[in-house]
Amino acid sequence: MPTVERQSSHADERDAVTHQPSPQHRRAAAATAGVIALAALGLTAPAHAASYGTPTIALSATYLSGAVGATGAADTTVTVTVAQSGADATALTVAASASSKTSVAATSDVKVTGTGATRQISVTAHARGYTDLTIKVTGLGGKTATKKLYYAASAAVQNAADTRYLTGSSDASAAVDVGGGYAVVADDESNVLRLYNLAVSGAPVKTWDVASKLGADKEIDIEGAARVGNTIYWTGSLGNNKDGEYKADRNTVFTTAVSGSGASTALTVGSSYKKLRDDLVAWDEANDDRYGFADGTEDGQVPKQIDGFNVEGLEFAPGSTTTAYVGFRAPLVPPKSGGKGLIVPVTNFDKVVGSGTKPVFGTPIELDLGGLAIRDIRKNAADQYLIVAGSWEADDNSDPYALYSWDGVAGHAPVKRTDLPTTDPGGWEAVVSVPDLTVAGTRAQLITDAGAADLYGDGTEAKDLDHAEFKKSRATWFTVGG
């Protein structure tokens, strides 16, 4: 009997060994138990990394222009949008992973702000030039995607903290305040009007191409503007082109009607007049060729000469909505060193442009601007004027520029407020608006035409750059009151 009992016990032990679960079965059972336990608690197991898709990344602009020393509102930015299927956008990281020229900007100079699907990228530039920046998004599961941001940096400028860069165009030539810190800016190399927020650097908020409405095949060479109520009057240069050739589209004065204000500003092209140059020449000839307009407009005559013919300023007379002051860059009067700036009043300007009425010219005004010519003229509601005075020559900005105040009265001398800096790219071309000049510390914002400037050190004039995003003008605040 004992022998039998031992055999039965050994058989039980063999059965126990035979039915012992394998390691794989034990792991599967444990996993199943874990899932059941999680389910009982209302929880789910994490998804496997393979369920995450490849991240996506998009830039609001492929090309970005910055400047050495530009910070805060003076700097330009790009918006980056990221996503990844299976993941919340807040879990994604964005950073620069490569720079083709670290002396201009390294990866550590690329700052990314914001969270979620939309971020902002800004770049701190250290030198003038170009660099290609690789912007990388890293998602869950270690998956990544990249985009190239082509970056160009211009040199540091004076008054950097008070400077804003208007990108998309380099040849700003006239500006009109439309409220809320916004202005409509003209370009003398195109027939496009652009709305900018002048509080920050960046691209235009809106654009209007006026060419087709005006029947213009070539550039109008818009150089001056003045606002009366909800009407803006714009004038071409009226002169020959740089090769001394007459181009009819330059002999254009036109209006735009304004509705709304600030970012909501809308423009509608109104009427136009295309004979003001001819009328001015005829008027001057009838007055013994006092200013040589006929000679200045002859075929082969370049407009930007001391005895040339070139309009760059437009504003209305004190208290008037009908008499416009047409300001000349050339000629100086007399046409020699130390000559004066010339204004020819058109006393029925509203009817000339509005209905094609023959212009009536008033007594010309000659202003002592220290041997400089009129590059822009602007007034405020109190009839306080600012005049940008500069050279008649066709250079960038090597000659002097100055800002003068005036009361708009013939025979009253303008007063020099300040010299304008000339060591930075671009010539001073436009005044946006005029503050109360009797209040100390009030400021005016001026805009440059940088079309002839080599902004990035590669020998290319800004107007000839391949990418519009690299073209830009500067808007800078200057203290003028007091």
Side-chain angles (χ1 to χ4, degrees):
M1 292 297 294
T3 303
V4 174
E5 289 177 355
R6 281 197 301 271
Q7 288 176 343
S8 177
S9 176
H10 283 263
D12 290 341
E13 289 174 2
R14 284 196 302 272
D15 287 343
V17 172
T18 301
H19 293 95
Q20 181 74 23
S22 68
Q24 291 89 342
H25 289 156
R26 287 198 300 272
R27 286 194 294 270
T32 301
V35 170
I36 293 171
L38 286 171
L41 294 172
L43 303 175
T44 58
H48 192 275
S51 66
Y52 297 123
T54 300
T56 60
I57 178 171
L59 304 178
S60 61
T62 304
Y63 300 89
L64 179 66
S65 173
V68 177
T71 59
D75 203 5
T76 50
T77 61
V78 163
T79 299
V80 55
T81 304
V82 295
Q84 185 183 26
S85 62
D88 192 292
T90 57
L92 279 58
T93 60
V94 178
S97 59
S99 170
S100 65
K101 193 168 185 180
T102 56
S103 60
V104 173
T107 57
S108 58
D109 297 314
V110 178
K111 182 180 180 182
V112 181
T113 57
T115 59
T118 303
R119 322 282 175 95
Q120 295 293 319
I121 292 177
S122 60
V123 182
T124 299
H126 294 288
R128 183 170 67 156
Y130 302 90
T131 185
D132 300 343
L133 298 168
T134 301
I135 308 302
K136 181 178 180 180
V137 58
T138 302
L140 297 184
K143 295 185 176 182
T144 64
T146 61
K147 282 285 186 182
K148 280 288 181 64
L149 176 62
Y150 301 95
Y151 182 76
S154 56
V157 297
Q158 299 179 65
N159 308 96
D162 291 324
T163 293
R164 304 293 181 263
Y165 293 92
L166 314 183
T167 64
S169 164
S170 59
D171 296 82
S173 55
V176 176
D177 183 12
V178 291
Y182 288 76
V184 178
V185 180
D187 178 326
D188 60 24
E189 291 288 323
S190 75
N191 298 324
V192 177
L193 304 176
R194 296 172 172 86
L195 177 67
Y196 286 98
N197 178 0
L198 297 183
V200 296
S201 294
V205 177
K206 294 180 183 178
T207 62
W208 299 270
D209 190 334
V210 301
S212 62
K213 294 289 186 181
L214 296 171
D217 297 321
K218 303 293 183 182
E219 67 187 47
I220 295 171
D221 193 24
I222 303 170
E223 292 287 1
R227 181 174 182 174
V228 176
N230 290 325
T231 300
I232 303 176
Y233 294 83
W234 306 88
T235 182
S237 68
L238 310 186
N240 292 342
N241 69 9
K242 64 182 179 181
D243 298 318
E245 300 169 336
Y246 173 69
K247 299 295 182 182
D249 289 333
R250 291 172 174 250
N251 190 5
T252 299
V253 183
F254 68 97
T255 65
T256 55
V258 182
S259 60
S261 63
S264 299
T265 297
L267 298 182
T268 304
V269 176
S271 56
S272 64
Y273 184 72
K274 301 188 177 185
K275 295 182 179 179
L276 186 56
R277 161 182 160 135
D278 310 78
D279 298 326
L280 283 162
V281 170
W283 166 80
D284 190 49
E285 287 182 315
N287 287 275
D288 300 321
D289 291 313
R290 180 175 178 180
Y291 298 116
F293 286 173
D295 289 342
T297 55
E298 281 289 331
D299 187 46
Q301 293 299 310
V302 176
K304 296 171 185 177
Q305 301 183 96
I306 198 168
D307 58 352
F309 183 91
N310 195 80
V311 169
E312 290 214 356
L314 183 68
E315 186 54 278
F316 280 77
S320 178
T321 60
T322 61
T323 297
Y325 286 164
V326 178
F328 286 77
R329 176 173 177 167
L332 281 185
V333 292
K336 63 181 183 180
S337 179
K340 296 180 178 180
L342 174 64
I343 289 175
V344 176
V346 182
T347 62
N348 60 339
F349 196 76
D350 58 327
K351 292 183 174 61
V352 171
V353 186
S355 59
T357 301
K358 196 75 172 175
V360 177
F361 298 103
T363 302
I365 302 169
E366 299 175 8
L367 299 177
D368 184 357
L369 301 172
L372 299 175
I374 295 169
R375 302 296 290 271
D376 195 26
I377 180 170
R378 179 69 65 245
K379 73 165 187 170
N380 60 20
D383 291 328
Q384 299 170 333
Y385 290 73
L386 284 177
I387 298 172
V388 178
S391 173
W392 48 266
E393 290 190 82
D395 54 14
D396 180 16
N397 63 343
S398 59
D399 292 311
Y401 283 83
L403 197 59
Y404 284 78
S405 60
W406 184 44
D407 62 6
V409 178
H412 290 191
V415 176
K416 187 176 182 179
R417 289 276 170 166
T418 185
D419 289 310
L420 298 172
T422 59
T423 57
D424 300 320
W428 299 106
E429 195 82 359
V431 182
V432 177
S433 60
V434 180
D436 186 343
L437 299 178
T438 65
V439 176
T442 54
R443 303 195 303 170
Q445 200 171 24
L446 276 63
I447 301 178
T448 64
D449 178 339
D454 175 9
L455 294 176
Y456 306 114
D458 62 347
T460 304
E461 290 190 353
K463 68 178 69 176
D464 296 327
L465 290 165
D466 291 335
H467 304 290
E469 297 90 339
F470 286 169
K471 299 179 180 182
K472 61 184 178 183
S473 298
R474 282 182 295 127
T476 304
W477 291 97
F478 293 96
T479 300
V480 294

